[in-house]
Amino acid sequence: MTRKKTKRINLHPASLAVALLISGSSIAAEEIAEEVKDKKPPAKNAKEAASVSKAPKPTELQAVTVVGKAIEDPNDPTNTEYKATNASTATKTDTPVLETPGSINVVTKQSLRDRQVFSIGEAFRYTSGVNSERGSGRSPFSNALVIRGFNNVEPGDLGGFYFRDGFRMSGVPLSIANLDRLELLKGPASVLFGQSEPGGLVNAVYKRPQAKPYYSLEQRFGSYDFYQTNLDATGRITKDDTLLYRLNTSYIDQGSFRDFLQNSLFSIAPSLTWNINERAQLTAQFEYNKTEWNFPHGIPAIGNRPAPIPFSRTLIIDPANGPDWQSENYITNLDFKYQVNDAWQLHWVGLSAKQDLLGTNPIGIADLDEATGQVTTGFQVAEPGPERQWWFTSLNVTGNVPIFKMNHKLLFGFDYNHEESDLPFFSGSSNIDFNIFNPTPNQGGRRLSLAEIEASGEVEDFFLINRRYGIYIQDQIELSEKLRLVLGGRFDDVDFVFDLPGSQVDNASALTPRYGLVYQPWPWLSTYYQYVESFGNFSSGRSSDGSRFALPQSGRQHEAGVKAEFFDGRLISTLAFYQLTRGNLSIPDPLDQTAQRPIGEARSEGIELDITGSITEHLNLIASYSYTDARITRSGDTDEGNRLPNVAEHMGSLWATYDITPNFKIGTGVVALGQRQGDTAGSFQLPGYARVDATAAYSVKLVGSKLTAQVNINNLFDKDYFASSTESRVGGALPGDPLTVIGSLRLEYF
């Protein structure tokens, strides 16, 4: 834990000067705080003694307090902080949170560990303005979230967008065990990162090699046949710090409280850092992961609520078919930093990724007789082995320079992204006959084999290309000791194709600005205002008549807020007020699960409060509250003015852990949110709920190592609730996890 240590000392003038110089550094006070005593050698004779007695006495000065602060490295594997003082996602520079205009939430490795998190949804469960678990069903690959009223999933996307150390990834599973932390930048972020969803951007910060040796082996096990094994090792390869390594490996195998669902995720991520010299550093990372999962269909709506059937019942699946989807992912990236001089730094990054995807969505409900529960029609979709590839590169130049007696932190950047996919696509209808109140195990019907699909002659070869380049500039200006201005802008140019080969290429370009102002009257308090626009993604979805939407989405946001640190800087809080508008938005067609429809514009506005850190040396805390009013503001249809689905108007959470002894920790948390709409028509609702979680951990120190036994209980009182809807009546809602227990044993050496 980061602690302030204070010691009061009396110093004579010469020593005082030295102490005052040292007090400006980060050296702990007790290391330099020794009282300086004026010791004279004994007088040799009476004359010398008389001379000494007549000498003027030393000036007596008032006592001074020298304060030092031991700051822990956030990349240190043994760091136990909940609070992050600095974050880089909002500005692409290492900037204190108090000096950053806008809302940024950091979920540290200790928070992830205390809650035994293995999915993005769980990671942000205690964060304001985030409705997690979209796409629930205990699937480890899903990165889908609803942030400030808007989801980060595009039609046809499997799992949601996130950014991997600043690189945009879509549909690629994320292994939380490989991460140092997660940073969430709320609101539009495309000025620095290019195409992104306006609700917010999740940046997964991967673990990097460290010079300090650290080894960890962890085994987790839990309810519904849950097993997870994690390995983390880092240290030096050479005797000095020239070559450093890190190896992270994780394997998850899990069942579900819902029938027939089984998921697995394997990941291995080695990395190597070469400290070329004092100015240059090169880091190479590679990751391979493989996942298999069953698609978690929802419970369809009857009346204004999901159908009254058991939460464990999974519709539209044949257990004999095995996994619905399987993906293998290969990711390689290089990261080069060069310190040109004391003021300027160059940072180049290159990434290449490939995904092999094999999957079939089994029969889905297209129509339902709500009076009887009888399904009358189904559809079938298959993607037999499409291959997706990404190439990404960026170059950033940052510098700290004085201009007109003001300090400027300048950022000049360029990035290029190329994504392409070859998507063999088959869609077939079939008449099936089953009842949701009395289904049979193979109600989904037999899936066609790949050979049968290819022999059918009904396969369409869709092609996706998304090429984007952007140029951006940012200036963080220190107008005075208390006032800072952030100016930024970006130019994007995008080519997009999602159609049959030879189709016309859609092209769009945009110039998007960002303005931010921070006023910090005291070191522990700041206020801010920010206006930002975003250039979003083209929609890969289609309307029910087969036509495609050719306009990219857009966003603009006004935000003002207050940030403060308390308890000697151990606790940080953010209170934000915002208005966010999203244009050219498309949503699922409530009458056709396979189609989307444009609604024009939607607006979200609200208030958010986040508190994170430590109140005392023994008490860690995460607390949040959000009020979100998210509505359709322009549609030309009857849903204009309706609330957006999956967004609770009021939501709050509290998580706390307490160290009873240095070896024994307990914790508990509660998340409560109100009623949510199930679709844009407001035809059905998901009831509000409150979920209680708990944890306990006991550690034993061994020779040079530590053994920790931990247990977490999620949904302690076994509350029945719906995690999210599919935004469709026939797609329905996805039940949340019942009471779930996860235990673990972790052996660490450091």
Side-chain angles (χ1 to χ4, degrees):
M1 307 293 292
T2 300
R3 299 285 181 262
K4 281 190 174 182
K5 299 180 181 179
T6 305
K7 188 172 182 180
R8 189 169 297 277
I9 56 176
N10 295 326
L11 300 178
H12 290 293
S15 300
L16 173 61
V18 176
L20 290 177
L21 287 172
I22 298 177
S23 66
S25 73
S26 60
I27 302 175
E30 62 266 31
E31 295 181 3
I32 55 95
E34 289 294 334
E35 183 174 357
V36 180
K37 297 180 180 179
D38 186 14
K39 295 184 178 180
K40 298 288 184 180
K44 296 181 179 180
N45 50 54
K47 183 178 180 180
E48 184 178 346
S51 175
V52 171
S53 65
K54 294 179 180 179
K57 294 183 178 180
T59 303
E60 294 292 335
L61 295 178
Q62 292 183 347
V64 297
T65 301
V66 180
V67 178
K69 191 174 183 179
I71 301 176
E72 293 193 37
D73 182 359
N75 297 310
D76 186 346
T78 61
N79 188 357
T80 59
E81 290 289 339
Y82 268 29
K83 175 203 167 190
T85 303
N86 288 27
S88 59
T89 301
T91 59
K92 282 196 173 181
T93 61
D94 191 27
T95 303
V97 173
L98 285 181
E99 298 177 12
T100 302
S103 298
I104 184 164
N105 296 88
V106 181
V107 183
T108 65
K109 67 168 68 69
Q110 187 61 40
S111 176
L112 296 171
R113 176 177 289 180
D114 282 352
R115 294 184 287 124
Q116 300 213 82
V117 169
F118 61 90
S119 70
I120 280 185
E122 284 292 338
F124 290 105
R125 177 172 294 279
Y126 290 89
T127 303
S128 72
V130 179
N131 286 259
S132 61
E133 295 187 290
R134 191 180 189 278
S136 178
R138 294 180 61 80
S139 177
F141 84 96
S142 179
N143 308 306
L145 298 172
V146 178
I147 308 169
R148 285 190 169 174
F150 299 115
N151 65 64
N152 66 339
V153 180
E154 282 295 303
D157 173 42
L158 294 174
F161 294 114
Y162 69 92
F163 282 71
R164 173 197 172 102
D165 285 329
F167 320 137
R168 183 176 178 271
M169 310 297 289
S170 168
V172 178
L174 179 63
S175 176
I176 299 295
N178 297 340
L179 304 185
D180 181 73
R181 62 191 181 277
L182 284 161
E183 296 185 359
L184 170 62
L185 176 60
K186 294 177 181 174
S190 67
V191 170
L192 291 179
F193 293 93
Q195 289 176 287
S196 59
E197 301 307 303
L201 179 151
V202 173
N203 188 31
V205 182
Y206 270 64
K207 295 176 180 177
R208 294 295 182 101
Q210 301 295 306
K212 181 180 178 181
Y214 174 80
Y215 311 95
S216 173
L217 177 64
E218 181 180 35
Q219 179 62 54
R220 297 178 180 178
F221 44 88
S223 304
Y224 310 106
D225 298 322
F226 172 80
Y227 299 95
Q228 180 178 9
T229 303
N230 299 323
L231 172 67
D232 185 2
T234 188
R236 297 183 179 93
I237 295 178
T238 57
K239 291 183 179 180
D240 56 10
D241 292 347
T242 302
L243 287 178
L244 311 176
Y245 80 94
R246 191 147 198 170
L247 175 64
N248 289 101
T249 303
S250 180
Y251 176 70
I252 296 175
D253 186 27
Q254 60 176 164
S256 174
F257 66 96
R258 304 191 69 194
D259 299 334
F260 314 129
L261 297 186
Q262 188 72 31
N263 308 295
S264 66
L265 171 62
F266 169 73
S267 171
I268 182 168
S271 57
L272 180 70
T273 293
W274 177 23
N275 292 308
I276 302 170
N277 52 44
E278 292 182 354
R279 294 183 178 271
Q281 182 188 79
L282 176 66
T283 297
Q285 293 178 303
F286 173 78
E287 181 179 2
Y288 166 80
N289 63 55
K290 178 179 180 180
T291 183
E292 296 180 344
W293 72 95
N294 291 109
F295 197 83
H297 290 275
I299 296 175
I302 292 182
N304 65 349
R305 289 287 191 269
I309 64 176
F311 279 16
S312 61
R313 183 168 296 168
T314 302
L315 305 172
I316 323 303
I317 194 167
D318 183 353
N321 284 328
D324 292 329
W325 292 93
Q326 173 182 303
S327 75
E328 290 187 273
N329 303 274
Y330 308 82
I331 304 168
T332 304
N333 66 280
L334 295 174
D335 185 307
F336 176 73
K337 295 179 181 179
Y338 182 72
Q339 192 70 39
V340 180
N341 52 39
D342 292 341
W344 291 94
Q345 184 188 70
L346 181 147
H347 186 193
W348 172 84
V349 176
L351 176 141
S352 173
K354 175 188 173 186
Q355 180 183 69
D356 294 326
L357 184 65
L358 173 64
T360 303
N361 278 358
I363 303 295
I365 299 175
D367 195 13
L368 171 70
D369 186 336
E370 296 187 14
T372 65
Q374 195 73 15
V375 170
T376 58
T377 314
F379 67 89
Q380 209 169 39
V381 178
E383 294 186 9
E387 184 177 286
R388 305 173 66 201
Q389 298 183 75
W390 294 263
W391 296 275
F392 178 95
T393 188
S394 71
L395 178 64
N396 292 312
V397 179
T398 57
N400 289 280
V401 293
I403 303 176
F404 300 120
K405 298 182 179 180
M406 293 180 292
N407 186 59
H408 293 248
K409 185 183 288 186
L410 295 169
L411 168 68
F412 303 94
F414 165 82
D415 57 34
Y416 174 78
N417 183 80
H418 181 102
E419 176 186 356
E420 66 179 46
S421 303
D422 185 11
L423 306 170
F425 183 85
F426 170 83
S427 179
S429 298
S430 62
N431 293 321
I432 58 175
D433 185 13
F434 76 92
N435 192 290
I436 66 171
F437 296 109
N438 187 28
T440 57
N442 64 340
Q443 69 269 27
R446 186 180 68 84
R447 281 190 309 199
L448 299 179
S449 69
L450 298 183
E452 290 173 316
I453 291 173
E454 293 170 354
S456 69
E458 299 180 26
V459 177
E460 294 182 281
D461 189 15
F462 281 89
F463 198 66
L464 181 146
I465 297 178
N466 189 4
R467 289 190 296 261
R468 169 185 60 79
Y469 74 83
I471 302 171
Y472 49 93
I473 184 172
Q474 177 182 268
D475 190 2
Q476 297 171 260
I477 310 170
E478 191 173 328
L479 299 175
S480 68
E481 186 179 351
K482 298 180 179 181
L483 189 63
R484 294 172 179 84
L485 176 67
V486 178
L487 300 175
R490 179 187 180 96
F491 174 78
D492 275 296
D493 189 86
V494 179
D495 292 329
F496 184 81
V497 178
F498 184 72
D499 214 326
L500 298 175
S503 299
Q504 180 178 348
V505 177
D506 293 319
N507 176 266
S509 59
L511 183 63
T512 50
R514 177 192 185 191
Y515 316 104
L517 190 66
V518 179
Y519 177 63
Q520 195 169 3
W522 300 286
W524 58 273
L525 178 71
S526 67
T527 61
Y528 69 90
Y529 167 78
Q530 179 177 239
Y531 173 77
V532 63
E533 295 180 6
S534 70
F535 180 65
N537 302 300
F538 282 91
S539 174
S540 58
R542 293 173 175 273
S543 64
S544 57
D545 63 4
S547 60
R548 190 168 52 80
F549 316 124
L551 292 175
Q553 296 177 16
S554 62
R556 60 184 184 274
Q557 177 180 266
H558 296 270
E559 180 177 341
V562 180
K563 301 180 183 182
E565 288 184 338
F566 302 100
F567 303 105
D568 292 332
R570 294 192 300 263
L571 195 76
I572 189 169
S573 63
T574 301
L575 176 64
F577 305 83
Y578 71 91
Q579 183 184 73
L580 171 61
T581 304
R582 183 177 185 179
N584 300 326
L585 179 63
S586 63
I587 62 170
D589 190 326
L591 302 178
D592 186 351
Q593 283 194 80
T594 65
Q596 291 78 41
R597 69 180 185 86
I599 63 171
E601 185 178 89
R603 184 215 64 221
S604 174
E605 55 188 13
I607 303 170
E608 296 173 346
L609 173 66
D610 286 282
I611 302 172
T612 307
S614 305
I615 295 179
T616 70
E617 186 177 352
H618 306 287
L619 180 61
N620 281 329
L621 177 72
I622 303 174
S624 74
Y625 166 77
S626 59
Y627 165 78
T628 309
D629 184 14
R631 298 177 182 270
I632 298 170
T633 52
R634 189 173 69 240
S635 172
D637 207 339
T638 56
D639 56 8
E640 190 167 309
N642 289 357
R643 293 186 180 277
L644 292 178
N646 284 313
V647 183
E649 186 175 12
H650 296 278
M651 183 172 67
S653 65
L654 175 66
W655 170 267
T657 63
Y658 186 76
D659 298 329
I660 296 177
T661 71
N663 297 328
F664 183 46
K665 173 191 296 184
I666 60 172
T668 188
V670 60
V671 177
L673 63 162
Q675 178 176 276
R676 295 145 290 156
Q677 296 298 320
D679 60 3
T680 56
S683 69
F684 74 104
Q685 292 77 42
L686 309 184
Y689 69 90
R691 182 185 120 166
V692 177
D693 305 325
T695 186
Y698 185 78
S699 300
V700 177
K701 290 186 178 180
L702 305 174
V703 179
S705 62
K706 182 171 73 171
L707 178 66
T708 302
Q710 183 173 333
V711 62
N712 287 71
I713 305 176
N714 296 328
N715 197 359
L716 180 63
F717 299 112
D718 202 18
K719 173 70 175 179
D720 288 340
Y721 69 97
F722 288 97
S724 63
S725 84
T726 61
E727 304 181 12
S728 163
R729 289 189 64 84
V730 291
L734 295 155
D737 293 347
L739 187 151
T740 305
V741 180
I742 299 177
S744 68
L745 288 173
R746 182 177 64 254
L747 180 63
E748 299 171 276
Y749 175 81
F750 45 84

